[in-house]
Each structure stands twice: as C-alpha cells, then as structure tokens.
Amino acid sequence: MGLGDVTRAGVLAAVKECQYLGRETFLRRYGFGRATTYELVLDGNRYDSKAIAGVAHLYSVGNLLPAEDFSGGARTVAHRLRVLGFTVEDGISVADGTQQVAPQLVLQPRGGARDRGPQNFAKSIRQGIRITDIRNALGEQADALAALYPSGIARLWGSTPAARSNNEKARALRGRRVGDDVFFYAKNHFIARARILHLFDSPPVARMVWGTDENSATWEHIMALGEIEEFSTPVLAAPILRSLDVPAPLRSLTLRSSDDYLRVVRLLPVRRPQVSRNLRHRFPPRLHS
C-alpha cells in the first residue's frame, strides 16, 4: 500500500480532522513535521501536504502512512494530490504569488435538443457514467477517475474542438483549470454549477459517452466534475452576462477571471454545503491541555 491508495474522500477527511484539532496538534498526533516546500491549498487555507497525505491514507484504507515510509515531493505527494484534483503550491509559487488560488468562472452552454444537450446533461451529469463501462477507452485516465469517484460513477462534460485557435472557446479550453467553478447555461438561465476536479482529452471516451455531432466531431475536451448542484430555481443569466461583458445569449464556452467571478458572485446562489457520503467517520475527542 502507498500513496496510490489515497482517495479524494480520504484527503478531505484528513483536512477536516486537521481543522478540528489545529495544525500543531494534528502534526504531533501523527508524527509529521511542517511542510518545507509543498502545501495543499483548499478553500483559501493551506495544509502540510505530506501530513495530509499520510493521514488521508488512514481514512482511505484503514492504516496510517507514517512520515518515514514515503517522501514528500513533486513526484510523490504533490503529484498524487494533483491527480485527485487538489491544488498544491510549492515554495516558489507560495512566495511570489504567481499561482492563483481563487477559482475562475467557466460559463458552459448546455446545448439544445439539436445538440442533444438535455439528454447528455441527464446522462453524464445528473445520472453519471459508470467508470467500468468506459474503462477500455480511458487508458491511463482510469486510475485518476477511480480515485476521484470512489462510488464508481463519474460526472463528465465535454467540449468539441474550437473552430479557431484564438476565439473565446479556444481561450477557455486553454485557460480553465482544476478548481474552477462551472455554470451551465440553458434557455437564458444558469441551471446548475459544478467544480472541475480533473481535465483530460480523449476522443475515444467522448465517442463512447456522447457519440458525435452532425459534423462528426466529438466532445473530446473533457471535464471531470464534482460538487454538482442543480438550481431549484434557474438563475436569470442576463444581469450576470452583462456584468461580465459577455454577449447574450451565451453561445460559446467562456472563461472569466477570479476577479470577474468575485464581481458577480452576489448575483449567484449561495453554494449549499455538501457532505460526502465517504466522510462518515467520527472525529477523535477534543484534546484538553
């Protein structure tokens, strides 16, 4: 057993315990030191990546991965956490502030009946795709999706290639990243939101899940999504698009910056807290000094 057994749910559980105990108590309890280079960044807070990974192993498979049994570096802990969809910053990016933590805003047209948008949304977002059904097409992505979705059900959405190399869609495909928030648009409203957990390109997976469009293109630029929330009351898009200088109706995948997102966040529904079914554990009793 090793870092490959660490799951996303296990990491979230370790983070929650660290929040409960406090950093120093958490590190002492499990025998880890402070991070010297790599930090896990989650919801604007920083955590010692190696300690979180070691304790996440406990929550994932039942036994702690002690500090002396593995190294914390770019090819080990940082790589595993990034595969699971988390942001990890090294000493350089932490010091000079070159890496943004706040999510960007991805505006995603769902598509209409002609594009099979409603059917595809119901199939691969609301219902989800069984990883076992597409494993042969996934190749090296199979392990990443299995780690992201312990239930075995992946929530996927894809985009066809951009017609030009520097149009709005092409810039969004290049610039979106893990941790960004995605808002789905249909019939002049935003109908749902999600968070990007993983990004990959795969025409075989796209053809297996969604087929091809009338031009024989497929939705090969794929987002693996989590924290999906369909709005009980769709949100009128016009005021938001106007504030972002985006033409209405929304016709293309569009990316806006973290600062732009902050400008319109008051116009969007407050995110409902979500508790993963995989985090049903009891925290240790509070320590008394």
Side-chain angles (χ1 to χ4, degrees), residues 156-219:
L156 306 177
W157 192 259
S159 297
T160 55
R164 295 189 300 277
S165 62
N166 201 35
N167 62 12
E168 189 78 61
K169 183 177 185 179
R171 291 192 294 272
L173 288 172
R174 288 195 301 268
R176 64 186 180 177
R177 61 191 181 218
V178 169
D180 288 346
D181 282 348
V182 180
F183 282 78
F184 285 90
Y185 173 94
K187 297 181 179 179
N188 301 315
H189 290 78
F190 289 111
I191 61 169
R193 86 174 126 211
R195 182 154 291 169
I196 299 177
L197 304 181
H198 184 52
L199 294 164
F200 65 102
D201 297 334
S202 177
V205 169
R207 284 192 290 268
M208 185 171 287
V209 174
W210 302 295
T212 58
D213 66 11
E214 59 186 9
N215 298 314
S216 299
T218 192
W219 294 267

Side-chain angles (χ1 to χ4, degrees), residues 185 188 237-242 245-251:
Y185 173 94
N188 301 315
I240 298 166
L241 296 178
R242 188 164 51 248
D245 294 323
V246 175
L250 181 69
R251 299 190 184 280

